[in-house]
Amino acid sequence: MSTRQFGQPIKRNEDPRLLAGRALFTDDVQLAGMLHVAFLRSDLAHARIRSIDLGGAKERPGVAAVYTADDLGEYWQPGPLLVPPPPVGQLEFHPRTQVPLAKDKVRHAGEAVAVVVAESRYLAEDELDDIFVDYEPLDAVVDLEDALESGTPLVHDDLGHNINARGTQTKGDWAQAEDAADLVIRRRFHYDRGTAAAIENRGIVASWDDKSQQLTIWDTTQAPIAIRNGLAGMLGLSEHQVRVIAPFIGGGFGPKIMMFYPEEVLLAWATLQLGRPLKWIEDREENFYATTQERGQVHDATMALKNDGTVLGIKDVFLHDAGAYAPYGLTLPISSQCTLLGPYVVPEYHSEFTSVFTNKPIVTPYRGAGRQHGVFVMERLLDIAAKELGIDPISIRRKNYIQPDQFPYSNEIIFQDFTQLTYDSGNYEPALDRALELIGYQDFIRENQPRREAVGERVGISVVSYIEGTGIGPYEGARVTVEASGKVSVATGVGTQGQGHYTSFAQVVADQIGVAASDVHVVTGDTDLFYWGAGTFASRGAVVAGNAMHAAATKVRDKILKMAGEKLEAAEEDLELIEGRVQVKGVPQTSISIGELAVEANPMRGAVRPGTEPGLEATEYYGPERGATASGVHAMILRVDPETFLLEIEKYVVVHDCGTVINPLILEGQIQGGVAQGIGNAFYEQLHFDENGALRNASLMDYLLPTAADVPNIVSDHMETPSPLNPLGVKGAGEAGAIPVGALFAQALDNAFRDIGLEVREIPLSPNRLFELVTEASARGNA
Amino acid sequence: MKPAAFDYFAPGTVDEALGLLADYGGDAKPLAGGQSLVPTMNFRLAQPAVLVDLNGIEELFFIREEEGGLRCGAMTRQRSVERSALVQRISPLLHEAMPHIAHSQIRNRGTIGGSLAHADPAAELPVLAVALDARMYVRSVTDARWVSARDFYMGLFATAMLPEEMLVEVAFPTLPSGSGWAFDEVARQHGNYAMCGAAAVVGLDGRRVVERARLVFLSVGEGPVEAEQAAALLVGEQPNAEAIRAAAETAATQDIDPVGDIHAGPAFRRHLARVIAERVLTRACERAAGTEGQ
């Protein structure tokens, strides 16, 4: 028997190319006659544009063109609303989307005002210095609460207010819970902004070929098909005239699926104007303004409980920072609303959000995508409730978990995929027990912590639970082809940004066809090679594209068996596929290679039976009825230097359940990378905007990313509760590592400073902020 | 993030370099390791019309012992200083502090003279120079002079040098016997700019009473900040924990007046200054008394 490859920790097919520098990234694309593009970006967050003086710009040697909004004519249009509002009962919605170049007014620092095309990026940037924009500075909308005050400046004047949307979702009746409660706790929680800081910034190469009438675009996008369709529409071209290639990409994390970035719209248009290929590579400074960000929310949350720790209900009213434009609709606040409920039974729930326009860069999903906030609020409420009720934080979680026999479990409200929030499957308590065992919970509480605290150390432990809605629709597709060489190719529409798709997808297909995963060549992100699809987001690649591949591979397998059965004069059920050959079970002498079958399936002469399809090939699509719900438990032991407030993570445990595992090695990498980003989010990364909306730390010198020295070894284990929603039983895992880390830091710090009653209610933290919180808590204790 | 256009010269001798600085004056910038200048140019915060690249001037790369002290050529790489056995022997404080400077990749390129002349208030080397009473050898086409580190620093990114002058050498005197030293800093991440840091040099007399003390901070002012009141408090005292704590408290509350930035507010900086002062003074006193590690 050949070994099953699905589920094995196979090393990644793509790594030799990536490690040796033989993988094509957008900036590697060099075309004859290529020009370079730079953008003039506003220094001010909010200002009226009185006039733009190009100075001597156009006359500079080496400059091909300078464009402002007025030069775009009818092409100047606000971008599309990517996600319409879901069918939520009470909803007020005021969409405003980003524009290619600011006209009349700039609404966030870094918004593009003019575009320059020149022989080199150096010349293009010199050129920017020639242009003078006469701005009338306006007061900026920075703080979420201030944004809603009357008389406050308006981000979008025509709206008359700064409200992007308001929405309320309810389950049961919160008032009942409040009435029946033994304890009601109310707290305010803050979560602030960070940036994904992918190692590769965005980049675009656009090339119009006048003779073939073809537009080719290399783009660091997570959604090449949607980019092709959109650009073709905007430019009045057929979709067949536009080819979008998303080559190797150094990290997506969500911001690379924003559409359409002004740069995408403008480069595609300008190459048609100039008839020459154009390149723009975002630099790190631009990335801090021009690439979307996430995570500003303020929650006023109330939890009602019985004395025994049973949660009766939650009321949460929150503000969401949408930034200057909101192309993603309500995805983020809805995701926060839904994820807050976590793995717990919450009978009565009232959640009300206001999404607020501010003069800050655009907000769209970034790894976790609203989930961090929900988990933070829920886990903090449980911790605070446990403290007030005098029960331990583990028991209160255990007590409120949804039980295995309650699935599918409906939370009644609407999820970001427009379906009812229903968990497909889950088994939470074994994961909790395993995490406690791996972290050494009892030993820490009983022995380690008291011993160390006796000599003046500060150490804390934390354990948090969360769920992650993953693998949502609408659909993806895949085409599986056996080539004459006997190797297999798979094409799909989703883009790939480092997730290991070249391997995990290959594993899904390899078992069906009976070849090694290394003999399966995966093609992603080229619209000429696969026409249909949505994109890579919401931890959905493995679930949605993976199941489409499985379906296509199964169909190809059927074709192989049928054909081989005829050739070998054997019944199909007597055949097996091993190492690229079909053989009669147990009789290797009677066999034929799939490569030979592929050649025969593509006859060059002669007659075939009517209805014959050529090739050993199949294309299938998969669309889940709703998302699959993954879950997990993270645990941590944290040491705080009581003098410097620097932290050391002594131990970090992840027990995760994403259903059936395709490749444990890749999963491990996803979890570790996510945790690293979570650690950054919790203690290092914060975007500091001043009262004028200027970003004070737009460089990696002042925006601190966690380094290898800050990220501990992560001990992980995996539970497998398969999803009943898809044939592979898989759930998404891309965001799981990042989601609960803020809540985990808060609980561990509270634990380490429990003698002074520290209660952390905000993320991100820093040594400075921790010093302030501890000083305040000590002062309160002494008062 | 591309620099504006500039003219580039790569002189082979100090005299040639000084000639270029004399010709171009304030329009020219000497390029040493480039670890601060080049990013600043890429952000277009600095747009020098002329760069005078010192990396080809061999006579500026040296570490040697002279008159019982240490002499370093201005272009000596920080990594060379860090790894020099001579530095370790003659100037152990300098040796101890070098690994705190940024990352090893930066020290491979960054130079001792470049950092001293850049006068970044968050940099370690200016603080070490003041703590150790270093002297800077500054030359122009027409002049050559030694400037004490204390007189060299004139504020934020400002030194006593004129535009046509260049730092060519730095001298660190040997500490007298009975001296102890220490350096420490607190950065949010290893290799980042420190939120606060300090160097201490303490001298004990024959009766083990403090006869000399110097405590110099980084990242709490516009340049190296000497805690003079704290040092005065310590002189004449037995270097015990109580005296050190009092000196550290004075340093944090009287000697410095830090402003905040996004990483550390004034209150936290003062707190860190006290913590670090206590740490470095304790270690310096122990070393002076020969009781370190006891």
Side-chain angles (χ1 to χ4, degrees):
Chain A
M1 269 306 289
S2 68
T3 340
R4 191 170 144 83
Q5 297 174 74
F6 189 100
Q8 295 303 307
I10 294 172
K11 286 188 183 174
R12 305 200 319 172
N13 284 340
E14 54 267 56
D15 284 350
R17 282 180 70 195
L18 287 166
L19 292 171
R22 288 186 285 107
L24 182 86
F25 290 83
T26 300
D27 200 14
D28 294 322
V29 176
Q30 302 292 347
L31 303 173
M34 191 162 72
L35 296 168
H36 297 264
V37 176
F39 289 86
L40 181 69
R41 300 184 183 280
S42 172
D43 293 328
L44 300 171
H46 197 196
R48 224 168 285 290
I49 299 172
R50 289 200 195 99
S51 63
I52 302 174
D53 179 1
L54 298 183
K58 284 182 173 167
E59 285 75 49
R60 250 185 202 264
V63 170
V66 184
Y67 304 113
T68 64
D70 288 343
D71 297 311
L72 301 179
E74 287 298 300
Y75 190 68
W76 188 95
Q77 294 291 337
L81 179 67
L82 297 171
V83 186
V88 171
Q90 299 171 48
L91 190 69
E92 175 189 341
F93 186 43
H94 310 285
R96 290 293 181 280
T97 57
Q98 73 287 356
V99 297
L101 290 170
K103 189 189 264 190
D104 307 327
K105 187 170 158 174
V106 290
R107 295 186 174 84
H108 66 86
E111 187 168 10
V113 177
V115 54
V116 171
V117 185
E119 294 291 339
S120 76
R121 178 68 177 255
Y122 288 86
L123 290 172
E125 291 194 19
D126 287 348
E127 169 78 22
L128 299 180
D129 290 344
D130 292 347
I131 304 171
F132 176 73
V133 183
D134 184 11
Y135 290 112
E136 175 194 341
L138 302 170
D139 287 341
V141 183
V142 180
D143 181 80
L144 288 181
E145 288 171 88
D146 293 350
L148 299 175
E149 297 286 319
S150 64
T152 206
L154 299 177
V155 179
H156 298 278
D157 303 73
D158 60 315
L159 267 184
H161 53 71
N162 288 316
I163 297 168
N164 164 230
R166 286 183 197 274
T168 301
Q169 294 214 71
T170 58
K171 172 190 175 187
D173 179 8
W174 156 252
Q176 257 183 31
E178 203 174 18
D179 289 346
D182 296 324
L183 173 70
V184 175
I185 52 171
R186 288 188 182 81
R187 292 292 190 280
R188 166 163 280 212
F189 301 101
H190 287 88
Y191 221 103
D192 203 0
R193 273 193 189 217
T195 180
I199 196 165
E200 185 192 12
N201 292 326
R202 290 184 299 124
I204 301 159
V205 174
S207 177
W208 171 251
D209 186 285
D210 207 42
K211 285 190 178 165
S212 64
Q213 295 281 296
Q214 286 285 329
L215 176 62
T216 308
I217 294 172
W218 289 262
D219 187 355
T220 53
T221 180
Q222 296 172 231
I225 290 169
I227 295 285
R228 173 202 59 196
N229 297 351
L231 290 180
M234 288 180 226
L235 294 165
L237 298 171
S238 154
E239 287 172 11
H240 288 282
Q241 287 179 281
V242 183
R243 178 184 186 187
V244 176
I245 301 166
F248 276 98
I249 294 174
F253 308 118
K256 285 181 181 149
I257 202 175
M258 213 288 281
M259 293 173 280
F260 291 80
Y261 275 109
E263 298 87 359
E264 287 165 331
V265 173
L266 291 165
L267 263 84
W269 175 82
T271 186
L272 279 156
Q273 308 300 311
L274 298 168
R276 288 177 68 177
L278 305 178
K279 177 188 272 189
W280 169 74
I281 300 297
E282 183 183 56
D283 66 34
R284 186 58 69 179
E285 188 183 20
E286 290 182 288
N287 183 265
F288 275 97
Y289 299 98
T291 288
T292 57
Q293 309 170 347
E294 206 209 299
R295 300 227 206 293
Q297 287 187 0
V298 181
H299 288 250
D300 283 305
T302 312
M303 179 181 261
L305 304 102
K306 298 296 273 184
N307 272 332
D308 67 356
T310 305
V311 174
L312 297 175
I314 294 171
K315 181 181 180 187
D316 182 35
V317 178
F318 68 99
L319 303 178
H320 168 77
D321 180 359
Y325 303 96
Y328 244 88
L330 306 178
T331 300
L332 289 168
I334 296 237
S335 173
S336 301
Q337 272 186 329
C338 290
T339 309
L340 185 143
L341 293 167
Y344 309 107
V345 175
V346 181
E348 328 287 346
Y349 184 44
H350 174 104
S351 173
E352 197 178 319
F353 69 81
T354 305
S355 175
V356 181
F357 285 120
T358 59
N359 290 119
K360 287 185 274 184
I362 303 172
V363 170
T364 69
Y366 153 38
R367 200 178 203 174
R371 297 180 183 91
Q372 274 87 341
H373 321 74
V375 171
F376 186 69
V377 171
M378 182 58 155
E379 295 296 307
R380 288 277 69 199
L381 287 172
L382 286 172
D383 291 336
I384 294 163
K387 215 182 302 180
E388 298 216 2
L389 292 169
I391 50 184
D392 79 83
I394 305 302
S395 308
I396 200 168
R397 288 173 167 79
R398 214 183 276 282
K399 184 160 202 69
N400 289 288
Y401 276 154
I402 299 163
Q403 295 304 306
D405 59 1
Q406 289 179 279
F407 293 94
Y409 183 86
S410 172
N411 261 326
E412 299 173 27
I413 61 174
I414 300 297
F415 190 47
Q416 58 158 310
D417 63 353
F418 298 12
T419 65
Q420 199 178 64
L421 178 65
T422 300
Y423 303 169
D424 53 340
S425 64
N427 191 5
Y428 305 134
E429 225 171 331
L432 176 68
D433 289 332
R434 184 72 179 127
L436 294 174
E437 183 190 331
L438 289 171
I439 199 78
Y441 192 80
Q442 290 303 332
D443 174 68
F444 181 82
I445 293 289
R446 289 189 188 145
E447 198 278 318
N448 187 298
Q449 189 179 33
R451 174 169 52 76
R452 296 170 68 184
E453 284 178 345
V455 294
E457 275 195 69
R458 287 269 177 204
V459 279
I461 193 164
S462 53
V463 182
V464 304
S465 288
Y466 64 102
I467 55 108
E468 183 199 355
T470 74
I472 58 172
Y475 79 95
E476 290 297 337
R479 184 179 64 246
V480 172
T481 311
V482 178
E483 299 180 1
S485 62
K487 297 198 175 183
V488 179
S489 67
V490 186
T492 179
V494 301
T496 190
Q497 304 86 39
Q499 295 91 337
H501 288 153
Y502 297 95
T503 313
S504 53
F505 289 163
Q507 283 174 270
V508 170
V509 170
D511 279 354
Q512 293 303 315
I513 314 283
V515 296
S518 54
D519 284 335
V520 179
H521 180 68
V522 177
V523 177
T524 77
D526 184 337
T527 59
D528 270 14
L529 297 178
F530 201 84
Y531 197 87
W532 299 100
T536 306
F537 58 92
S539 298
R540 69 192 285 280
V543 181
V544 189
N547 276 290
M549 272 163 211
H550 175 71
T554 306
K555 206 163 169 186
V556 171
R557 177 190 178 87
D558 291 345
K559 284 189 177 181
I560 292 170
L561 290 173
K562 186 160 182 282
M563 209 175 157
E566 287 169 14
K567 291 291 293 182
L568 301 175
E569 296 180 341
E572 287 174 36
E573 53 274 22
D574 292 335
L575 297 176
E576 56 188 354
L577 275 73
I578 293 178
E579 290 169 9
R581 300 186 74 80
V582 194
Q583 66 180 41
V584 176
K585 278 181 190 161
V587 191
Q589 305 89 311
T590 312
S591 71
I592 184 165
S593 78
I594 59 171
E596 286 172 69
L597 289 172
V599 173
E600 292 203 19
N602 182 26
M604 290 292 110
R605 293 289 186 275
V608 296
R609 262 174 274 165
T612 299
E613 286 179 13
L616 295 176
E617 179 175 288
T619 301
E620 286 292 316
Y621 298 90
Y622 176 77
E625 59 182 278
R626 58 173 188 271
T629 306
S631 63
V633 176
H634 288 209
M636 175 170 73
I637 294 173
L638 191 64
R639 192 178 75 82
V640 188
D641 182 324
E643 290 191 315
T644 63
F645 297 91
L646 299 180
L647 306 184
E648 184 198 340
I649 300 170
E650 294 191 339
K651 197 163 184 186
Y652 200 108
V653 167
V654 177
V655 180
H656 186 244
D657 187 343
C658 58
T660 312
V661 174
I662 301 173
N663 182 327
L665 203 59
I666 287 175
L667 177 59
E668 189 76 25
Q670 278 283 20
I671 298 289
Q672 292 194 7
V675 170
Q677 248 168 345
I679 289 170
N681 175 215
F683 199 70
Y684 297 98
E685 302 181 44
Q686 184 167 16
L687 293 167
H688 293 271
F689 293 92
D690 70 12
E691 69 276 14
N692 299 315
L695 182 56
R696 296 172 66 199
N697 57 336
S699 84
L700 294 183
M701 189 175 80
D702 282 322
Y703 184 85
L704 307 185
L705 293 172
T707 68
D710 309 307
V711 179
N713 287 323
I714 294 159
V715 179
S716 65
D717 197 10
H718 301 283
M719 304 280 152
E720 296 198 30
T721 310
S723 173
L725 295 177
N726 64 74
L728 294 176
V730 297
K731 301 175 176 183
E735 298 166 272
I739 292 169
V741 190
L744 196 67
F745 268 69
Q747 194 191 103
L749 290 167
D750 280 10
N751 182 248
F753 289 95
R754 64 195 182 288
D755 55 328
I756 59 164
L758 181 69
E759 189 180 289
V760 173
R761 294 187 297 268
E762 66 192 57
I763 291 291
L765 298 164
S766 65
N768 183 73
R769 189 59 190 141
L770 191 54
F771 163 77
E772 290 171 355
L773 292 174
V774 167
T775 307
E776 283 166 23
S778 306
R780 263 199 316 276
N782 295 334
Chain B
M1 291 181 70
K2 305 288 184 206
F6 54 86
D7 287 328
Y8 172 86
F9 295 94
T13 65
V14 171
D15 288 339
E16 276 178 66
L18 294 174
L20 288 161
L21 292 180
D23 291 347
Y24 294 101
D27 292 338
K29 259 301 210 190
L31 172 66
Q35 299 303 294
S36 299
L37 178 58
V38 172
T40 315
M41 289 171 65
N42 286 345
F43 278 110
R44 298 199 176 207
L45 296 171
Q47 301 195 11
V50 175
L51 273 193
V52 180
D53 186 348
L54 310 180
N55 286 276
I57 305 180
E58 270 179 45
E59 57 188 296
L60 290 176
F61 292 78
F62 64 85
I63 300 174
R64 61 174 173 254
E65 190 174 4
E66 205 170 297
E67 295 165 14
L70 184 75
R71 296 286 182 90
C72 293
M75 283 299 291
T76 308
R77 305 289 175 198
Q78 290 158 10
R79 193 73 161 157
S80 306
V81 176
E82 178 184 350
R83 290 179 161 185
S84 159
L86 194 62
V87 172
Q88 185 175 8
R89 180 165 61 77
I90 305 177
S91 193
L93 173 59
L94 192 56
H95 175 78
E96 173 170 289
M98 291 310 290
H100 288 280
I101 301 174
H103 302 276
S104 56
Q105 293 88 337
I106 289 175
R107 297 196 295 278
N108 282 338
R109 192 73 199 158
T111 66
I112 189 166
S115 176
L116 287 169
H118 185 49
D120 187 324
E124 291 82 359
L125 281 164
V127 162
L128 294 163
V130 172
L132 289 169
D133 259 334
R135 291 177 307 132
M136 320 292 197
Y137 190 48
V138 172
R139 281 182 59 192
S140 67
V141 167
T142 54
D143 196 18
R145 59 194 176 115
W146 286 95
V147 184
S148 79
R150 272 180 158 167
D151 296 334
F152 189 74
Y153 291 104
M154 316 266 295
L156 205 58
F157 299 104
T159 71
M161 287 192 295
L162 302 169
E164 65 270 23
E165 284 182 321
M166 193 172 90
L167 176 62
V168 293
E169 187 176 334
V170 55
F172 294 95
T174 313
L175 292 175
S177 65
S179 297
W181 70 90
F183 180 86
D184 201 0
E185 65 177 32
V186 176
R188 289 187 64 183
Q189 293 176 301
H190 175 73
N192 274 8
Y193 282 115
M195 295 181 284
C196 186
V201 179
V202 173
L204 300 186
D205 65 15
R207 299 167 298 130
R208 299 209 157 182
V209 167
V210 177
E211 64 174 1
R212 294 170 286 113
R214 189 169 288 182
L215 176 64
V216 190
F217 287 102
L218 57 88
S219 281
V220 298
E222 299 201 328
V225 177
E226 262 196 83
E228 292 175 2
Q229 298 179 63
L233 204 63
L234 211 52
V235 170
E237 294 287 328
Q238 298 281 344
N240 54 36
E242 200 183 329
I244 288 170
R245 203 170 305 126
E249 186 66 29
T250 298
T253 55
Q254 310 291 317
D255 282 313
I256 62 169
D257 186 15
V259 294
D261 65 13
I262 59 168
H263 297 303
F268 188 46
R269 266 186 218 282
R270 274 194 206 280
H271 167 81
L272 289 176
R274 188 182 54 70
V275 168
I276 294 166
E278 201 172 325
R279 287 182 183 177
V280 293
L281 287 172
T282 302
R283 212 159 66 232
C285 288
E286 285 171 358
R287 279 174 170 154
T291 60
E292 191 189 10
Q294 287 176 20

